[in-house]
Amino acid sequence: MRLASALCLSLPAVLLAGEALARCPTSDDISAGIVYSNTVAGQESINVAFGTTAYLASYYELGDQGLTKQFLMLKGVYPQTLTAITAAEVLTISYHYPVGQAEFPEPREGVSWQVEAVVAQGADSLTETQSYTFGREEEREIGDCTFGVIPYDIETRSEAYGAQVLGMFYVPVLGVAFPDVRRDLPESGEVAFSESMTTYPALLAQWGN
């Protein structure tokens, strides 16, 4: 089954056109969409990154009902907005930083950066500390593709929610990042796991669209 994470936006119709070839994505595919999917114990999660450039990209999570969540990310890793839809409501969260876009560090191995962010939803807001810690670049086989990736953590701390850590991996050659669920799996291999990366037109072709 597909994992229905929580935004419902229509994808540009132009993405439905053209011949879709099953191949490993390149940075030129960011405008048409780069797809990362993984399956953990039978639950499939699909993430799609779009952008005119990798500098400012939109990330979508796909669920059984289509698009379910959208992130707008700076330099592929720093959240600017999050819009999500549930059965009852649409939620939009925005992130406000005390530095300009040019002052966000490039995502590279060994980079460690901390910033205070105001997180706002409607009239409500809170202040959180965001810490980004990028590890060493390593080669990773993702399905039939092989990429150099940089694993990194986003740690957030606030009075309301305490400390939370999200594991991610960044693909420098593509300029995009995705959740790194593989890190949380037991080393015994007892949990079935697979992952793949392709282009969005190729995914549509696979679905028969």
Side-chain angles (χ1 to χ4, degrees):
M1 64 179 289
R2 293 200 180 96
L3 181 64
S5 324
L7 179 161
C8 234
L9 295 178
S10 297
L11 292 177
V14 69
L15 299 181
L16 303 178
E19 183 180 6
L21 300 176
R23 58 174 176 78
C24 297
T26 70
S27 59
D28 293 336
D29 293 308
I30 189 67
S31 59
I34 295 173
V35 179
Y36 170 73
S37 61
N38 64 69
T39 302
V40 180
Q43 286 192 321
E44 184 180 24
S45 178
I46 301 176
N47 299 266
V48 189
F50 292 98
T52 52
T53 69
Y55 189 76
L56 194 62
S58 294
Y59 289 78
Y60 298 86
E61 292 182 6
L62 305 184
D64 290 332
Q65 304 303 315
L67 293 171
T68 54
K69 187 179 291 184
Q70 180 197 22
F71 298 86
L72 184 64
M73 308 285 274
L74 178 66
K75 297 186 177 181
V77 300
Y78 304 109
Q80 305 295 294
T81 62
L82 161 63
T83 305
I85 191 167
T86 65
E89 59 185 343
V90 174
L91 303 175
T92 299
I93 298 171
S94 58
Y95 298 81
H96 305 274
Y97 300 95
V99 297
Q101 291 186 352
E103 297 178 70
F104 285 74
E106 295 296 327
R108 297 191 179 100
E109 67 174 13
V111 167
S112 181
W113 188 63
Q114 187 175 96
V115 66
E116 297 288 325
V118 175
V119 184
Q121 179 186 325
D124 300 322
S125 65
L126 61 82
T127 299
E128 70 177 16
T129 301
Q130 297 180 359
S131 300
Y132 297 82
T133 305
F134 293 84
R136 295 177 61 88
E137 184 169 344
E138 59 191 33
E139 189 175 89
R140 178 162 171 172
E141 291 185 7
I142 303 177
D144 295 328
C145 305
T146 301
F147 293 100
V149 306
I150 301 175
Y152 71 99
D153 290 329
I154 305 175
E155 180 181 352
T156 60
R157 290 181 177 272
S158 66
E159 291 186 5
Y161 298 104
Q164 301 180 71
V165 179
L166 176 63
M168 303 283 291
F169 69 91
Y170 176 70
V171 188
V173 72
L174 301 179
V176 297
F178 297 103
D180 195 0
V181 299
R182 189 167 77 172
R183 272 195 261 168
D184 299 326
L185 300 178
E187 294 182 0
S188 63
E190 60 191 33
V191 177
F193 173 78
S194 64
E195 60 184 349
S196 63
M197 194 172 287
T198 187
T199 65
Y200 187 65
L203 180 65
L204 290 177
Q206 178 184 332
W207 289 347
N209 293 322

